[in-house]
Amino acid sequence: MRKIGLIGGMSWLSTRTYYEHINRLVQSRAGMDHSAPLLIESLDYSKLSRLSSADEWKRAAGILSDSAKRLEKAGATAILIGANSMHKVYDEVAAAVKVPVIHIAECVAQRMAADGVKKAAVIGTRNVMLESFYRQKLIARDIELLPPEMQFVDTLDRIIYDELLLGKASRQAERELKTIITNLEQDGAEAVVLGCTELEMVVDVDANVLPIYDCTRIHAEAAVDWIMGEG
């Protein structure tokens, strides 16, 4: 099996989820006595939270690029960035190393296209929902995306930053997400992308009114494809 590197810590809760998903998938494919050859560098999230200015994002690109270099030097043959929002600096990170950096939105787009999804909605943090760096990967696969509604953007940003990233998953947040997803279905969405690794804390991925594409699971599956020599 090939060793893979994970840039984590954004938040540590999603890093834990990646670790669990990847190891369970390796066990299911290779046998229960196996575990994933995995390197993790957990970054200090306080330096990467709620970035807005160009200078802040430039600093973030440097932090993640340095992390990727360390993982490559330690023996990682491919790298994951364990946060949707940090894929804003994907190009800079990918250029800093010689090994592949597996793009989370590209994995999701590939899965949705294979399933024949034509119209979808993305929910996540403000920058994931409003900026093009994530959405363009889906659009490139001829998937029409519903325009983000600012009411939903504000609600999701609050839930993610004020609750989920702190490890809180309230019943109120669950109800708000159910309402948002129901509204998206009424607006014509055939599926919903969870464009935030923590959203599975308040969204029942396997029992919902619409097909839910959980970016963390899909990214982890792509990682295991690589580990097993299938990617």
Side-chain angles (χ1 to χ4, degrees):
M1 292 190 288
R2 295 187 287 192
K3 186 176 291 187
I4 202 162
L6 171 65
I7 303 174
M10 309 165 287
S11 66
W12 67 265
L13 295 159
S14 65
T15 308
R16 179 181 65 184
T17 302
Y18 269 98
Y19 185 79
E20 182 174 357
H21 281 332
I22 290 170
N23 275 288
R24 288 190 184 280
L25 286 164
V26 166
Q27 282 186 323
S28 69
R29 297 193 196 182
M32 294 302 292
D33 58 338
H34 289 272
S35 55
L38 178 64
L39 296 167
I40 300 175
E41 177 154 297
S42 185
L43 301 176
D44 180 4
Y45 180 64
S46 68
K47 298 178 180 178
L48 298 166
S49 177
R50 293 184 183 273
L51 307 181
S52 57
S53 71
D55 285 344
E56 288 173 332
W57 280 109
K58 183 178 180 180
R59 177 171 55 81
I63 291 171
L64 268 69
S65 295
D66 288 345
S67 179
K69 290 176 186 176
R70 288 189 290 270
L71 289 169
E72 180 182 39
K73 187 175 181 180
T77 61
I79 291 169
L80 307 177
I81 301 172
N84 288 267
S85 59
M86 288 297 121
H87 280 72
K88 181 178 172 74
V89 297
Y90 171 89
D91 290 342
E92 293 91 328
V93 177
V97 292
K98 295 183 176 64
V99 299
V101 181
I102 301 172
H103 197 297
I104 192 168
E106 181 60 38
C107 296
V108 174
Q110 185 175 354
R111 178 71 58 84
M112 295 179 80
D115 290 346
V117 175
K118 296 298 183 184
K119 190 173 185 179
V122 176
I123 58 175
T125 58
R126 185 179 300 275
N127 73 320
V128 166
M129 292 186 69
L130 297 183
E131 297 184 42
S132 63
F133 71 91
Y134 194 95
R135 297 169 63 87
Q136 66 187 4
K137 294 291 184 180
L138 304 177
I139 294 169
R141 297 278 183 157
D142 295 323
I143 299 167
E144 180 186 351
L145 294 179
L146 293 182
E149 295 187 27
M150 287 311 301
Q151 175 188 351
F152 295 164
V153 172
D154 293 339
T155 298
L156 286 159
D157 215 56
R158 173 181 54 78
I159 290 171
I160 291 165
Y161 281 108
D162 296 345
E163 295 188 39
L164 304 185
L165 291 174
L166 303 178
K168 302 174 184 177
S170 68
R171 292 295 298 274
Q172 177 62 25
E174 290 178 11
R175 287 191 290 267
E176 288 180 292
L177 263 296
K178 186 170 291 187
T179 298
I180 288 171
I181 291 171
T182 300
N183 276 278
L184 293 172
E185 180 192 31
Q186 293 170 352
D187 289 342
E190 300 171 9
V192 172
V193 176
L194 298 189
C196 169
T197 50
E198 289 81 16
L199 277 174
E200 68 172 31
M201 295 166 63
V202 288
V203 175
D204 189 338
V205 174
D206 299 313
N208 217 292
V209 294
L210 282 175
I212 303 294
Y213 285 79
D214 181 350
C215 57
T216 313
R217 289 190 190 185
I218 294 169
H219 206 198
E221 288 167 8
V224 175
D225 287 344
W226 179 267
I227 289 170
M228 302 300 295
E230 301 167 7

